[in-house]
């Protein structure tokens, strides 16, 4: 049958399009579950196999931990809002900031220093508070929060994607990190030109409010800093125990984040003398179940893509059609980024083949930058990227409409990556 014989890449793209269309009428989690079944059937797997794949992924330990951490983020965010600390946090920074648009971009950038799954959900209330005008479209708020949340992930060593990339390429950590840093500069430029420049954000009249100090801002952001410190501290302790003491330290993937979030909640309660009622309202927020279902749906969809070997089929289709190696180095991570919606996903799915295609006699760093930059832009376009999904859910924005704010900075990012890679090839050979 003609439809069954279509390339895997075509099947995946059509399924993504269907998910986007369904999400305009159905809850997003229902659209994603439907998409998982459709791609599974299209890859010629029987319904029992697909159901087992969905159940296995949805009930796996990493997925349950991920859902738990996302719920904790929601609880902490609600506590910060109900206590008024979120408003104070944004207000103190606004009084230190030269422009309201800078405030709106700086808040998600601050959260972006923490490799928190769905961390854009944590900064979304900050953007909502910073963008005081109701005239700003929800889709634009999504773009501001989503884009600036990810400006550090190209090189920030706490992110697992860059760590895995260093490992798969077998390159020096500091050299690859330095090589990737200009990608962040490009992302900032793209965000300012194509997102912030069109945002008409009115400044808030705080003429009667006392001037803020850096100390005030640090005090109000202390819960966020606690999460970063606890997470980084646990990571450093585990590495030190493994390398210096020879101990085998292992713990669930998100345990450091969970502990940091718990510590942050305790600090919010202490700083604001919160009683039982605000805490109860935060925990029993009706949006918790919906968000948990979205997490299960996203992970189930990815699980079906892996179990049906759809990503592997895409990889070999590109090779079979005799596409030049340089194009494969760029396109395979880009496609993997769209499919997986996560840095670890596109790195793990594409970099083993990319590493094998690196031309002999040339520096590997220009090609590593090309692969990572294209994979990252694919990830930023992915409709199953957790940060995009939860941000869209928070602002009640239309996902399809939201892409009109993203395609230009993504295109700029792709061009920036090509130019940067070319410059590195001239310099490094």
């Amino acid at each position: 049958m003609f439809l069954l014989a279509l390339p895997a890449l075509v099947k995946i793209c059509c399924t993504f399009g269907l998910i986007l269309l369904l999400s305009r009428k159905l809850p997003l989690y229902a659209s994603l579950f439907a998409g998982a079944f459709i791609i599974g059937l299209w890859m010629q797997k029987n319904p029992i196999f697909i159901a087992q794949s969905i159940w296995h992924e949805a009930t796996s330990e990493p997925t349950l931990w991920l859902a738990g951490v996302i719920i904790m983020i929601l609880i902490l965010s609600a506590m910060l809002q109900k206590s008024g600390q979120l408003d104070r946090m944004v207000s103190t920074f606004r009084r230190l900031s030269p422009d309201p648009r800078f405030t709106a971009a700086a808040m998600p950038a601050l959260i972006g220093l923490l490799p928190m799954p769905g961390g854009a959900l944590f900064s979304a209330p900050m953007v909502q508070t910073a963008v005081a005008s109701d005239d700003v479209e929800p889709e634009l708020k999504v773009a501001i929060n989503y884009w600036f949340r990810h400006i550090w992930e190209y090189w920030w060593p706490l992110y697992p994607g860059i760590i895995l990339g260093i490992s798969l390429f077998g390159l020096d950590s500091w050299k690859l990190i330095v090589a990737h840093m200009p990608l962040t500069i490009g992302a900032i430029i793209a965000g300012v030109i194509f997102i912030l420049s069109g945002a008409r954000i009115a400044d808030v009249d705080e003429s009667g409010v006392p001037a803020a100090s850096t100390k005030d801002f640090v005090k109000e952001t202390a819960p966020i800093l606690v999460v970063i410190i606890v997470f980084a501290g646990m990571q450093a302790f585990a590495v030190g125990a493994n390398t210096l003491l020879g101990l085998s330290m292992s713990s669930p993937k998100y345990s450091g984040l969970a502990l940091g979030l718990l510590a942050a909640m305790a600090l919010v309660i202490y700083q604001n003398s919160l009683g039982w009622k605000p805490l109860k309202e935060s925990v029993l927020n009706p949006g918790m179940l919906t968000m948990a279902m979205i997490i299960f749906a996203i992970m189930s969809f990815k699980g079906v893509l892996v179990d049906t070997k759809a990503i592997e089929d895409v990889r070999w289709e590109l090779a079979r059609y005799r596409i030049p190696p340089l194009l494969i180095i760029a396109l395979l991570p880009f496609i993997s980024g769209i499919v997986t919606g996560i840095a670890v996903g596109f790195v793990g799915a594409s970099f083993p083949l990319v590493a094998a295609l690196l031309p002999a006699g040339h520096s590997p760093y220009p090609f590593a930058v090309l692969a990572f930059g294209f994979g990252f832009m694919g990830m930023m376009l992915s409709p199953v990227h957790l940060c995009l999904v939860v941000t869209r859910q928070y602002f009640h924005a239309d996902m399809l409409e939201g892409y009109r704010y993203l395609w230009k900075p993504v295109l700029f990012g792709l061009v920036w990556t090509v130019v940067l890679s070319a410059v590195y090839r001239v310099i490094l050979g």
Side-chain angles (χ1 to χ4, degrees):
M1 188 177 176
F2 171 73
L3 290 178
L4 294 178
L6 288 173
L9 178 57
V10 174
K11 295 177 182 178
I12 292 171
C13 291
C14 290
T15 304
F16 278 149
L18 183 60
I19 289 172
L20 290 174
L21 290 175
L22 288 175
S23 67
R24 308 188 82 169
K25 299 292 183 181
L26 299 174
L28 183 58
Y29 61 82
S31 304
L32 286 165
F33 278 127
F37 263 98
I38 290 169
I39 192 63
L41 292 172
W42 211 348
M43 295 301 294
Q44 303 183 51
K45 301 297 180 181
N46 64 65
I48 295 177
F49 176 91
I50 300 169
Q52 288 175 338
S53 176
I54 290 175
W55 176 257
H56 177 266
E57 190 65 35
T59 59
S60 67
E61 183 179 339
T63 299
L64 294 176
W65 268 97
L66 176 61
V69 167
I70 293 295
I71 294 301
M72 292 174 70
I73 293 172
L74 281 171
I75 293 173
L76 177 58
S77 177
M79 290 171 63
L80 286 168
Q81 284 181 297
K82 291 182 182 299
S83 66
Q85 187 164 354
L86 185 65
D87 291 334
R88 299 196 303 271
M89 188 187 306
V90 176
S91 177
T92 54
F93 188 83
R94 184 187 287 126
R95 281 175 275 154
L96 295 170
S97 170
D99 188 282
R101 290 175 294 184
F102 179 77
T103 304
M107 292 292 97
L110 174 65
I111 303 301
L113 293 172
L114 181 65
M116 181 185 295
L121 180 64
F122 195 37
S123 56
M126 300 178 183
V127 172
Q128 179 67 29
T129 304
V131 181
S133 174
D134 293 331
D135 296 332
V136 179
E137 294 178 291
E139 290 77 19
L140 179 54
K141 295 177 185 177
V142 169
I144 293 172
N145 187 54
Y146 178 58
W147 187 264
F148 288 97
R149 159 75 173 84
H150 293 90
I151 60 174
W152 312 115
E153 195 173 347
Y154 300 95
W155 61 271
W156 186 242
L158 290 183
Y159 277 97
I162 185 67
I163 296 171
L164 181 59
I166 290 169
S167 174
L168 291 175
F169 278 129
L171 303 177
D172 290 335
S173 301
W174 70 271
K175 289 182 180 179
L176 190 66
I177 287 173
V178 171
H180 279 202
M181 282 182 177
L183 291 173
T184 289
I185 297 175
I188 294 173
I189 293 173
V192 170
I193 294 175
F194 298 110
I195 298 177
L196 285 185
S197 63
R200 298 182 178 180
I201 303 174
D203 207 347
V204 177
D205 183 11
E206 295 183 307
S207 55
V209 181
S213 66
T214 305
K215 182 180 178 181
D216 295 328
F217 178 67
V218 171
K219 177 185 176 183
E220 300 301 343
T221 56
I224 299 173
L225 299 177
V226 163
V227 178
I228 296 174
I229 291 170
V230 171
F231 174 79
M234 286 193 66
Q235 293 288 101
F237 177 76
V239 171
N242 289 333
T243 58
L244 300 178
L245 303 178
L247 300 177
S248 180
M249 298 289 293
S250 61
S251 59
K253 183 178 179 180
Y254 300 118
S255 58
L257 283 175
L259 186 59
L261 288 166
L262 284 173
M265 290 178 198
L267 182 59
V268 172
I269 293 172
Y270 172 76
Q271 285 183 315
N272 298 279
S273 302
L274 282 185
W276 167 246
K277 185 178 179 181
L279 181 59
K280 180 182 177 181
E281 290 175 350
S282 300
V283 173
L284 299 180
N285 188 319
M288 301 292 181
L289 180 59
T290 299
M291 189 58 66
M293 290 299 296
I294 290 174
I295 304 304
F296 294 140
I298 289 174
M299 300 309 292
S300 297
F301 184 81
K302 292 178 182 177
V304 170
L305 286 175
V306 172
D307 292 344
T308 58
K309 302 189 183 304
I311 298 176
E312 289 185 24
D313 286 353
V314 170
R315 179 190 304 173
W316 297 118
E317 283 168 2
L318 291 175
R320 190 187 313 133
Y321 296 138
R322 300 182 181 277
I323 298 175
L326 194 62
L327 276 180
I328 295 179
I329 289 173
L331 288 178
L332 186 57
F334 181 77
I335 295 168
S336 299
I338 292 176
V339 171
T340 62
I342 188 171
V344 171
F346 78 73
V347 170
S350 64
F351 277 27
L353 179 59
V354 168
L357 293 174
L358 295 181
H362 294 274
S363 170
Y365 293 97
F367 304 99
V369 168
L370 182 68
F372 199 91
F374 267 70
F376 203 90
M377 289 301 102
M379 179 192 77
M380 293 299 288
L381 287 176
S382 175
V384 294
H385 187 158
L386 183 59
C387 286
L388 180 59
V389 172
V390 297
T391 304
R392 174 256 177 193
Q393 187 77 14
Y394 180 86
F395 288 113
H396 304 290
D398 185 283
M399 182 172 283
L400 204 55
E401 281 291 316
Y403 278 109
R404 64 192 173 96
Y405 287 108
L406 291 177
W407 74 267
K408 288 182 181 179
V410 165
L411 182 60
F412 182 93
L414 293 174
V415 174
W416 182 273
T417 299
V418 170
V419 172
L420 183 63
S421 176
V423 170
Y424 282 163
R425 288 180 68 184
V426 171
I427 296 174
L428 302 176

